[in-house]
Amino acid sequence: MNNLKKNYRKGGFTFKQFFVGHDRCAMKVGTDGVLLGAWAPIREAKKALDIGSGSGLIALMLAQRNQQLIIDAVELDINAAQQAQENFSESKWADRLRIFNQDIIEFSERIIHQYDLIVSNPPYFEPALSCSSEQRDQARYTSTLTHETLLNCARQCLAPKGIFCLVIPYDVGEGIEVMAHREGWSTAYRVNIRDKASTDFHRLLLGLMLQPTEPQVATLVLKEADNKTYTADFQKLIRDFYLKY
């Protein structure tokens, strides 16, 4: 879902309070990352972790939304990690953002503190469906990070009352939710997302906890019937970030 419009700086996107360069990243800035960055519950969080940070978009959005939040970002690909570091350094929140060019499995085994909030826009395609770029394969395919491994790493890094938030294709997300429940997670938040009111659900925002909780379930429609205008609900979610609102 890369339907954002380019702004005046080349190789990335300009938001209201920061710029995200992404020309050296396999996965470009898109609506999925924006959804997660704008939605993830951060009010009570003091430390956050962004798994598979890519360009650093989600981490930057969290930093804008919570001025006390300390954010660590983990990115395996060296080019993306370097670009995220540049994006962090150019932002007004550079002192609260750190990037680790590391495998999340290795990172989770060596953490010295746990996180109140973990976010991830993870790989979701099966390994058999490969594309031509090794860098893009790594970002999009579960051969390097399965969903089971992702849940295990999040468990190791999450504080007892913390929340793990993902954005994922709807059918894949339903499978992750079932797997998570089997492994002792509870759904705290679930947002079913459709492009228009007349279309099927195509994305899912999930908030998982390791404590029993009653889920809060909602639906979000992104566009009006004309397929050009964002709905009032989506505009409300992204108005602090998109230049046109």
Side-chain angles (χ1 to χ4, degrees), residues 15 18 45 66 104 123 144-145 156 160 172 175 194 197:
F15 293 88
F18 59 89
N66 183 334
I104 185 56
T144 53
L145 181 62
Q156 288 180 262
V172 179
R194 57 174 103 229

Side-chain angles (χ1 to χ4, degrees), residues 17-75:
Q17 296 193 40
F18 59 89
F19 174 78
V20 179
H22 66 188
D23 55 293
R24 302 197 304 278
C25 298
M27 297 303 292
K28 309 305 181 186
V29 170
T31 307
D32 285 5
V34 171
L35 279 166
L36 182 57
W39 168 81
I42 59 169
R43 185 174 299 174
E44 305 299 327
K46 295 180 180 179
K47 291 187 175 71
L49 175 66
D50 180 9
I51 298 176
S53 188
S55 64
L57 165 67
I58 297 169
L60 286 160
M61 294 180 73
L62 298 182
Q64 177 181 322
R65 291 176 58 207
N66 183 334
Q67 297 298 315
Q68 281 72 51
L69 190 64
I70 304 297
I71 305 144
D72 289 339
V74 179
E75 173 53 51

Side-chain angles (χ1 to χ4, degrees), residues 144-176:
T144 53
L145 181 62
T146 67
H147 297 142
E148 183 178 10
T149 300
L150 177 63
L151 287 170
N152 289 336
C153 291
R155 180 188 294 271
Q156 288 180 262
C157 296
L158 193 64
K161 295 183 179 180
I163 184 165
F164 176 36
C165 295
L166 306 95
V167 60
I168 202 81
Y170 186 79
D171 55 345
V172 179
E174 287 200 307
I176 292 177

